[in-house]
């Protein structure tokens, strides 16, 4: 008898519990069944009331209104959850409060009880809802599980290899080659520092010679263009001679401003070490010959430069400038003088 009575009693209690939950006044439906932190949770709270919360007429038994999610009670719980959607539906005397919630903490997430009338008034920008009773929504807590329970991983994932973009390997190889070349050059400089210093000094000296020549030639060409504006041949000859003396001074590091034409040869002989080569001799003879002609024009009473008709069809002023440029180029190409000075 007891064996039959015990199962029958258990079935009766189970049937009573199910029927009572089905016909309960309030019902809360939560989806999904398993909730993890960061998931979007749908909560539908169904209750029966004869009160008209929405404010629709009795001829419209079905209605729906949106509710604001920045309600003060929702905003105060932002660390625990966020309400992203809220609305209230009416089907006759049955109401459904729809909430969309994202929980941010594990464990049981509890939305505190709140007044539906207050939420409606806040959503409709009214002080209170007409003919609406003070109805309190009391939701059951929902259980939020951690991502560890969802994924099953209880340790950090293994370190992944770095992502290599296309062409990166080629760039690294090129940079490596350049780095090796730079390192080899620096090593060579350190091992041959005196030689490198002398090479730099020689290069700097030769560059200064070229710069001096270009500057002097530029002055002679400018003087040749300004020749029609210079009325006196003596003044023109003085300007040509001054440009050449200034060139020689920067070329050999000696003051040629007051050196007479007769003293030029001994000075160049001393600069060449006591003996002039063929190229040096031609350059020195050109300077002495040009200075002699310029001295004659400058200091003689009847010293005038020849016109084109008496100088082979070319004005002598032009010829003097061309001869001076040629002499500068000969000194510039004279490696013997360069080596002596270096």
């Amino acid at each position: 008898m007891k064996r039959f009575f015990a199962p029958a009693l258990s079935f009766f209690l189970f049937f009573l519990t199910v029927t009572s939950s089905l016909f309960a006044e309030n019902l809360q439906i939560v989806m999904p069944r398993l909730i993890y932190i960061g998931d979007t949770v749908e909560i539908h709270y169904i209750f029966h009331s004869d009160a008209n919360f929405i404010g629709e007429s009795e001829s419209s038994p079905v209605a729906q209104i949106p509710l604001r999610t920045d309600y003060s009670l929702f905003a105060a719980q932002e660390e625990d959850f966020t309400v992203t959607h809220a609305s209230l539906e009416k089907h006759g005397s049955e109401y459904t409060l729809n909430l969309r919630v994202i929980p941010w903490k594990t464990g049981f997430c509890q939305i505190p009880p709140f007044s539906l009338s207050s939420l409606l008034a806040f959503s409709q920008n009214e002080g209170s809802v007409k003919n609406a009773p003070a109805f309190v929504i009391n939701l059951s807590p929902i259980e939020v599980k951690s991502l560890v329970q969802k994924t099953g991983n209880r340790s950090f994932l293994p370190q992944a290899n770095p992502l290599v973009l296309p062409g990166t390997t080629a760039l690294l190889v090129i940079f490596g080659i350049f780095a090796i070349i730079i390192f080899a050059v620096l090593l060579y400089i350190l091992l041959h520092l005196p030689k490198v210093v002398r090479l730099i000094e020689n290069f700097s000296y030769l560059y200064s010679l070229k710069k001096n020549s270009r500057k002097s030639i530029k002055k002679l060409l400018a003087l040749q263009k300004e020749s029609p504006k210079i009325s006196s041949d003596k003044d023109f000859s003085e300007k040509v001679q001054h440009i050449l003396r200034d060139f020689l001074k920067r070329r050999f590091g000696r003051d040629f401003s007051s050196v007479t034409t007769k003293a030029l040869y001994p000075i160049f002989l001393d600069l060449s070490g006591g003996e002039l080569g063929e190229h040096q001799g031609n350059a020195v003879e050109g300077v002495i010959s040009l200075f002699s002609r310029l001295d004659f024009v400058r200091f003689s009473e009847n010293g005038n430069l020849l016109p084109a008709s008496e100088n082979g069809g070319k004005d002598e002023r032009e010829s003097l400038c061309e001869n001076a440029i040629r002499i500068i180029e000969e000194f510039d190409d004279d490696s013997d003088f360069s080596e002596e000075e270096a």
Side-chain angles (χ1 to χ4, degrees):
M1 188 69 178
K2 291 182 179 180
R3 292 181 181 180
F4 172 78
F5 181 74
L9 181 61
S10 299
F11 177 78
F12 175 76
L13 293 175
F14 173 76
F15 177 78
L16 182 63
T17 303
V18 172
T19 54
S20 61
S21 62
L22 289 175
F23 295 97
E25 184 178 0
N26 302 331
L27 177 64
Q28 177 175 316
I29 301 174
V30 179
M31 297 181 296
R33 185 176 61 85
L34 296 178
I35 303 170
Y36 298 93
I37 187 170
D39 287 348
T40 299
V41 183
E42 296 281 350
I43 300 177
H44 303 284
Y45 184 77
I46 303 172
F47 61 94
H48 296 267
S49 177
D50 294 331
N52 193 358
F53 290 103
I54 296 182
E56 297 291 336
S57 62
E58 296 181 356
S59 60
S60 301
V62 178
Q64 180 179 8
I65 60 171
L67 302 176
R68 292 174 60 175
T69 59
D70 56 344
Y71 182 49
S72 58
L73 183 136
F74 298 156
Q77 306 295 324
E78 286 185 348
E79 293 185 0
D80 296 336
F81 60 85
T82 300
V83 178
T84 60
H85 171 78
S87 64
L88 181 65
E89 296 180 10
K90 176 185 177 183
H91 298 273
S93 62
E94 182 182 271
Y95 289 89
T96 303
L97 176 65
N98 302 309
L99 296 177
R100 191 174 299 147
V101 180
I102 300 177
W104 301 118
K105 291 184 178 181
T106 58
F108 285 94
C109 178
Q110 174 67 64
I111 300 178
F114 60 91
S115 171
L116 178 61
S117 301
S118 177
L119 176 58
L120 288 169
F122 179 77
S123 301
Q124 298 173 3
N125 296 321
E126 297 180 0
S128 62
V129 179
K130 298 179 180 180
N131 302 323
F135 189 84
V136 177
I137 300 295
N138 191 4
L139 299 174
S140 302
I142 57 176
E143 184 180 4
V144 181
K145 299 180 180 296
S146 66
L147 292 177
V148 174
Q149 294 174 293
K150 182 178 182 179
T151 60
N153 294 326
R154 297 184 178 274
S155 60
F156 290 107
L157 294 176
Q159 185 176 3
N161 294 327
L163 180 62
V164 180
L165 298 177
T168 304
T169 304
L171 289 176
L172 292 176
V173 172
I174 294 173
F175 287 145
I177 293 174
F178 275 114
I180 293 173
I181 293 174
I182 293 173
F183 177 77
V185 171
L186 292 176
L187 183 62
Y188 177 84
I189 292 174
L190 291 176
L191 295 178
H192 303 84
L193 188 59
K195 185 178 179 179
V196 173
V197 171
R198 286 196 303 269
L199 182 64
I200 295 174
E201 290 177 349
N202 290 338
F203 177 80
S204 177
Y205 172 71
L206 293 175
Y207 175 77
S208 65
L209 295 183
K210 294 289 184 182
K211 184 178 180 181
N212 180 35
S213 301
R214 289 195 300 269
K215 185 177 181 181
S216 300
I217 292 174
K218 187 176 180 180
K219 289 181 178 180
L220 289 170
L221 293 175
L223 179 63
Q224 190 175 1
K225 291 181 180 180
E226 296 176 359
S227 177
K229 300 179 182 180
I230 304 174
S231 58
S232 173
D233 290 339
K234 296 182 182 296
D235 293 341
F236 185 85
S237 300
E238 182 181 1
K239 291 180 180 297
V240 174
Q241 197 173 60
H242 176 74
I243 293 173
L244 281 176
R245 288 181 182 275
D246 190 50
F247 164 76
L248 294 173
K249 177 182 178 180
R250 292 195 300 268
R251 174 67 172 76
F252 298 105
R254 291 196 182 188
D255 189 7
F256 283 85
S257 60
S258 59
V259 176
T260 61
T261 303
K262 292 182 180 181
L264 288 175
Y265 188 82
I267 291 177
F268 284 116
L269 191 64
D270 179 59
L271 289 172
S272 64
E275 184 178 359
L276 293 173
E278 181 179 357
H279 189 81
Q280 293 174 332
N282 293 333
V284 172
E285 288 178 3
V287 173
I288 295 174
S289 175
L290 182 60
F291 273 33
S292 298
R293 176 58 180 164
L294 295 174
D295 287 342
F296 175 77
V297 175
R298 290 180 61 192
F299 301 114
S300 64
E301 294 182 2
N302 300 322
N304 295 317
L305 295 175
L306 300 176
S309 58
E310 300 178 11
N311 193 44
K314 181 181 291 186
D315 186 85
E316 191 175 5
R317 289 190 178 189
E318 185 178 354
S319 299
L320 289 175
C321 290
E322 291 178 355
N323 290 336
I325 292 174
R326 178 181 54 80
I327 291 171
I328 291 174
E329 291 175 347
E330 287 183 354
F331 275 111
D332 196 34
D333 296 336
D334 190 354
S335 60
D336 294 334
F337 273 129
S338 299
E339 291 175 0
E340 185 68 24
E341 287 300 311

